[in-house]
Amino acid sequence: MSQFFQEGPQLANQYDDDRVLQSFLRRKLPSDVFTEIEPGLRRLGERAVTDILALGDAAEAAPPRHVPYDPWGRRIDRIDVSRAWQELERISAEEGIVASAYERRHGAYSRIHQFARLYLFGASSAVYTCPLAMTDGAARILELHGDLWLRSNPLPRLTSRDPKVFWTSGQWMTERTGGSDVSGTSTIARPDNGLYRLHGTKWFTSATTSPMAMTLARIEDSSEAGRDLSLFYVETKDSSGRLQNITIQRLKDKLGTRAVPTAELTLDGTPARLIGGAGRGVRKIAALLNITRAYNACCAVGFMRRGIALARDYARKRRAFGKRLCDHPLHAETLANLQIEFEAAFHLTFRVAELMGREELGEATEQERAILRLLIPLAKLYTARQAVAHASEVLESFGGAGYVEDTGLPRLLRDAQVLSIWEGTTNVLSLDSLRAIDKEAALGPFLDDLRSRIEVVKAADLLPQVQRIREAGRRIEICYQHGLKEGVDYLQAGARAFAFSLARTYTAALLLEHAAWSLANGGDTRPKMTAQRWCARELAPLIEPNASYRRLSSDLATDG
Ligand code: MFK
């Protein structure tokens, strides 16, 4: 009988092991900021493979439980979460995963610092990043639209490092009548003594154990603003710990994110506070969505990095056909492609963080604000799709072990799958990219920025890539101008291909810029190889969905 047992993959310190993160931070941050934050990142990189990882695994193994009744039949609607989930809340407060963005200790660089922390924390946290994303988004809303009470009461809780003070926030948007189309919201808000009472059902509420939430409802009055959706602040429990006229119907049975409590709620007179006056609720909650979408991208990158770290370690250990997996040329090719996808996603996402920091500090130019508005949906939609494909390939690189639950690997795929769904599906975000281009005139600044990034690249062996990016930029511009003439159906039918083209081409410019910097600063040639290989792919896979093309698509879609 064989005595052979395969050794499983091991994770090293996730900061020390990450060349891409380190070189990006060295390039972007002033040296005193880098020197100050590096020890904290290294410590978090260690925790990400020790206590945080163990808590994430424990939280995953003990998912939340809905307890509708007490032993004597009274409705109590408690959601029990594991000790590990509670510990993850404590750690995220102490580690300042949200707070570090709002303390603004490093000015506009604070978002880069915070995203580096989020990225290290995320992949080990059993998606505790979900409540943190909504918490960060809620904090931003309160900064932008909160009255004095909201800014003095919940806001300091959301941005606290003290676990006893720290609150997470939920985000209750989705109703039975609409997930993507939030205009279908049927919850109403009845005025009550200067506050409101909410009546309605919320079909998906994530991190439902949070003490507060942001939600949308229509004020029951006849004014024009009241007919529009308004944004509300809700505290879920009263001072004695009882739910405030909220019934928890059930927890969702989800493919992944199993440690995250996601519930269906009925609100029947839940007290709520209006945020920023009546109406324009979607516009106001968009500030939250833009943050959660950026988190989504950061978590996608974190998952990709985790996948490649595991697959790489395994490939160094596992032997097949007489040699290690990593010594097989085809396996090496697969791992190299995984690394390239990860690096591309990393640079796209951290460019978002860089611009977010500048915008929040009031340092962004008008052009940078427009670029950010467009870049957030692009980064969210593109990295989410990458993360799903990436996780699938990572699982395959383990053979059968990748399909077996107790290796922990299937979780990577299950958790990645939600990234392209929540906070706006790929299609909704492709259309949002068009909205950004239309309403914020974002395409011009975006393409100008792309060109200015590649102009600085002078290394002779990167010049062919500069040329390819220029050409892709020109094609994108022509395609959009043509689309404007053809009309809205043309633009919408091509929106996903268009968004992918923007994301891939902009990413190419970021990779090239980083490659040029790396060559000039220490001479690391790996970013150059990544940039060259990324640019060798189709950068702008645009389509031309004219009327006959769309008719055919419609036939294929409806009749098969
Ligand atoms: C790790 C990460 C974890 C993340 C955890 C999250 C867990 C939570 C899970 C969920 O809750 S999932 C539910 C999330 N739901 C969505 O993301 C909704 C997706 N649907 C959309 O985004 C739709 O495009 C949208 C609801 C915005 C469409 O609504 P409307 O009312 O048809 O939008 P309209 O009229 O185009 O826009 C209204 C205003 O908002 C406009 O401004 P004006 O009033 O000034 O004209 C828009 O420009 C503005 N707007 C819309 N999206 C914006 C935006 N402004 C800035 N940024 C945006 N992204």
Side-chain angles (χ1 to χ4, degrees), residues 300-363:
V301 182
F303 284 154
M304 284 190 245
R305 160 71 201 151
R306 177 57 49 89
I308 185 78
L310 291 167
R312 186 179 288 133
D313 188 65
Y314 188 70
R316 289 195 200 108
K317 292 173 172 160
R318 174 76 175 166
R319 298 183 70 83
F321 305 108
K323 51 188 175 183
R324 298 181 308 168
L325 290 183
C326 61
D327 297 325
H328 286 275
L330 184 52
H331 199 75
E333 196 57 26
T334 305
L335 295 184
N337 282 325
L338 287 174
Q339 175 71 18
I340 290 166
E341 288 293 329
F342 150 67
E343 285 189 40
F346 179 96
H347 283 281
L348 182 60
T349 299
F350 276 78
R351 173 70 178 140
V352 169
E354 182 183 17
L355 287 171
M356 278 167 73
R358 290 180 57 72
E359 186 193 46
E360 288 166 4
L361 268 281
E363 292 174 10

Side-chain angles (χ1 to χ4, degrees), residues 129-130 133-134 171 173-174 179-180 182-183 206 280 282-283 286 289-290 292-293 295-296 299 373 422-424 428 432 435 439:
T129 45
C130 166
M134 298 184 294
Q171 163 203 348
M173 283 180 72
T174 306
S180 298
V182 175
S183 69
S206 294
R280 296 178 64 78
V282 171
R283 172 90 209 180
L289 291 177
N290 287 335
T292 51
R293 288 169 182 173
Y295 265 66
N296 203 88
C299 293
R373 172 69 185 89
W422 65 10
E423 302 308 295
V428 163
D432 188 53
R435 188 195 275 117
K439 296 188 79 145

Side-chain angles (χ1 to χ4, degrees), residues 364-380:
T365 61
E366 199 181 317
Q367 287 83 352
E368 284 174 322
R369 286 203 303 274
I371 295 166
L372 178 62
R373 172 69 185 89
L374 174 56
L375 214 47
I376 286 177
L378 293 180
K380 195 285 191 183

Side-chain angles (χ1 to χ4, degrees), residues 185-207:
T185 297
S186 59
T187 299
I188 56 164
R190 296 203 174 113
D192 180 33
N193 261 334
L195 293 177
Y196 291 83
R197 297 246 170 211
L198 304 186
H199 298 263
T201 56
K202 297 289 173 182
W203 185 238
F204 272 95
T205 63
S206 294

Side-chain angles (χ1 to χ4, degrees), residues 6-150:
Q6 178 61 46
E7 206 190 317
Q10 230 93 63
L11 291 166
N13 179 308
Q14 290 299 282
Y15 176 75
D16 286 333
D17 198 36
D18 194 337
R19 156 184 72 85
V20 175
L21 172 63
Q22 287 177 34
S23 73
F24 175 82
L25 295 178
R26 271 184 207 284
R27 179 176 135 227
K28 284 289 171 180
L29 300 179
S31 61
D32 58 326
V33 174
F34 180 73
T35 308
E36 186 183 324
I37 67 168
E38 194 184 33
L41 293 173
R42 179 162 291 121
R43 205 192 50 190
L44 189 55
E46 192 58 32
R47 294 193 79 177
V49 296
T50 51
D51 62 331
I52 296 174
L53 183 64
L55 288 168
D57 289 348
E60 184 76 9
R65 209 167 54 92
H66 177 209
V67 183
Y69 299 102
D70 78 359
W72 313 107
R74 280 185 207 89
R75 185 100 200 189
I76 51 168
D77 276 331
R78 213 176 60 222
I79 297 176
D80 288 343
V81 294
S82 63
R83 188 85 215 126
W85 186 251
Q86 293 166 31
E87 280 292 290
L88 287 164
E89 175 170 327
R90 180 183 63 75
I91 290 172
S92 39
E94 285 171 355
E95 289 287 350
I97 306 289
V98 176
S100 49
Y102 289 85
E103 291 159 355
R104 298 189 175 128
R105 184 176 164 76
H106 308 295
Y109 298 114
S110 302
R111 270 290 176 196
I112 294 182
H113 176 214
Q114 182 221 6
F115 264 50
R117 299 181 71 74
L118 173 69
Y119 160 73
L120 291 171
F121 173 82
S124 299
S125 74
V127 200
Y128 201 83
T129 45
C130 166
L132 296 180
M134 298 184 294
T135 302
D136 195 328
R140 187 66 185 142
I141 285 187
L142 296 184
E143 270 196 339
L144 291 172
H145 304 290
D147 57 24
L148 186 60
W149 187 87
L150 289 166

